[in-house]
Amino acid sequence: MSNYDLILKNSYLVDPATNVEGYVDIGISDGKIAAVEKELFPTGKTQVVDIRSNIVVPGLIDTHVHLTGRWREYGHRMLARAGVTTALDCGGPVDEIINDLPDWGAGINVAVLNGVVPEKTVSSSNPETQELTWYVRESLEAGALGIKIMGGHYPLTPDATRESIRIANAQLAYVAFHAGTTTRGSNLEGMKQALELAEGLQMQLCHVNAYCRGITLGDPAVETLEAISQLSAIKGKGIVTESHLGPFNGTSGKCKAGVPESHVTRTCLRTGGFPETTDGLRQAIKSGYALVNRIQGDEIDYATPDEGERYWDEQQTDVTVSFPVNKRDTAFLLAMTKDSDADFVIDALSTDGGGIPRNFLVSKGLLLVKFNALSLKEFVWKTSTVPARMLGLETKGHFTPGADADIT
């Protein structure tokens, strides 16, 4: 008889990696999965917890979150409460997250991508190869998994973008890209350019739904179908993708010289019919179109328009704001569409959440299961199995004996 530290009795386990779905007992020893059997028997010191009313899955892995900035005190616990056990922070800096973990960590695993931001982390929108090489190397040495090109918000030139992806690949650094350069925005055309710039290289294309808001072709659904066609054509060629289910887009409310610093914020204002200026953002906040993110109890939530305007002023505009620009038909199509080989076109479900209040992997992902758009196994496939493979986490995303006992 094996010795277990913990047995989870009568769990309804869903694990596509091992093709298990049904009632089992799960034995855990030293933080690892020790056994998955129809019935396990405790020894004298084994803790036994009966969870017969729960669905049990390998720990959820969110491949796009934000845990730095003003929300850093709350994002870890917001993710943990939403069922996430491992997260990829897409922005960094890694030093800030490492320093914060003793005070604000909630026990989840966090990998970090350092952002490439002109005039902040690199000198300009067109930095030299030597500077980019140094930045990637320094990021890795500091503990980052790689880099995030923040193109939609803070664009590089196309040449510098391609060079950033190439250098990251050469240094075996993970690279994610919020599509957009100095010649193309965070839209369908920017996504197409991103695929061209990354041709022959490996890259994570972030939140595909962000490029299907009707800016290019006028109809979000038409743009989504075009994005699906483009991504189906490059499936298996080094590009991994994710989309999220949140209706709101989180971006920076910081303004400088009379305009928002982030190009995404400007685009969201234009989409809502507001001027792309500081005054335009104030109008959007007062109207309730732009929602200011602020502390509500021990989490981040959306302030009322009056509260939001006051907080935006108090913080000298340096806050996160959210706009209702993520379309529901786009989210649905990207989450569930498969290609001719019956593979999902979009690899993973993410949230772009963390400290931004849209940690919806479970709450909205299971609505797709209830609607029969996804099976339970497919939901787990897109929120744990595939994300583990994207990040090279061989001991996560499954319940094989010896795997990490990360459980949601």
Side-chain angles (χ1 to χ4, degrees), residues 15-79:
D15 182 8
T18 58
N19 198 32
V20 172
E21 180 172 352
Y23 287 98
V24 296
D25 291 351
I26 303 168
I28 299 168
S29 296
D30 296 323
K32 302 288 184 181
I33 301 296
V36 177
E37 305 287 350
K38 283 294 184 182
E39 188 171 12
L40 294 174
F41 300 95
T43 57
K45 295 183 179 180
T46 303
Q47 180 184 6
V48 178
V49 180
D50 192 313
I51 54 173
R52 69 179 66 242
S53 62
N54 294 273
I55 295 170
V56 177
V57 304
L60 299 184
I61 300 174
D62 194 334
T63 52
H64 192 146
V65 308
H66 294 281
L67 292 169
T68 54
R70 295 191 182 277
W71 52 77
R72 68 181 184 269
E73 300 175 16
Y74 303 92
H76 294 266
R77 74 183 67 154
M78 290 167 67
L79 284 168

Side-chain angles (χ1 to χ4, degrees), residues 149 159-171 173 175 194-205 234 236-240:
I149 303 168
D159 286 346
T161 301
R162 167 73 182 185
E163 191 68 350
S164 297
I165 301 169
R166 185 196 67 78
I167 290 167
N169 274 244
Q171 295 194 38
V175 57
L195 300 180
E196 294 169 0
L197 293 173
E199 185 175 3
L201 299 169
Q202 296 188 39
M203 180 189 78
Q204 175 178 324
L205 179 65
I234 54 93
K237 296 182 179 179
I239 308 296
V240 292

Side-chain angles (χ1 to χ4, degrees), residues 335-336 344 349 365 368-370 372-376 378-379 382:
M336 51 79 67
F344 285 107
L349 280 176
L368 296 177
V369 175
K370 290 183 178 181
N372 290 331
L374 298 175
S375 69
L376 266 175
E378 288 173 335
F379 166 75
K382 297 198 69 165

Side-chain angles (χ1 to χ4, degrees), residues 199-253:
E199 185 175 3
L201 299 169
Q202 296 188 39
M203 180 189 78
Q204 175 178 324
L205 179 65
C206 296
H207 47 45
V208 175
N209 50 300
Y211 317 126
C212 305
R213 294 171 175 158
I215 296 171
T216 302
L217 300 178
D219 186 330
V222 172
E223 291 186 356
T224 302
L225 294 175
E226 176 62 19
I228 288 170
S229 175
Q230 293 283 325
L231 295 171
S232 295
I234 54 93
K235 187 74 175 178
K237 296 182 179 179
I239 308 296
V240 292
T241 55
E242 32 95 358
S243 64
H244 67 75
L245 299 170
F248 292 99
N249 177 61
T251 180
S252 172

Side-chain angles (χ1 to χ4, degrees), residues 261-336:
E261 286 189 349
S262 169
H263 288 238
V264 169
T265 305
R266 299 177 199 176
T267 300
C268 289
L269 287 171
R270 184 171 69 251
T271 300
F274 294 89
E276 299 172 47
T277 62
T278 302
D279 287 341
L281 181 53
R282 182 181 297 279
Q283 294 172 32
I285 293 171
K286 293 177 71 171
S287 74
Y289 174 70
L291 301 177
V292 173
N293 298 192
R294 68 163 303 167
I295 302 166
Q296 305 279 1
D298 64 350
E299 293 193 353
I300 304 298
D301 208 337
Y302 303 120
T304 65
D306 288 344
E307 292 171 341
E309 185 183 11
R310 284 197 299 271
Y311 186 63
W312 183 63
D313 284 333
E314 290 170 4
Q315 302 301 321
Q316 299 180 320
T317 75
D318 189 10
V319 301
T320 299
V321 292
S322 295
F323 297 90
V325 293
N326 294 323
K327 307 303 180 184
R328 303 297 78 209
D329 47 358
T330 293
F332 183 86
L333 286 168
L334 292 176
M336 51 79 67

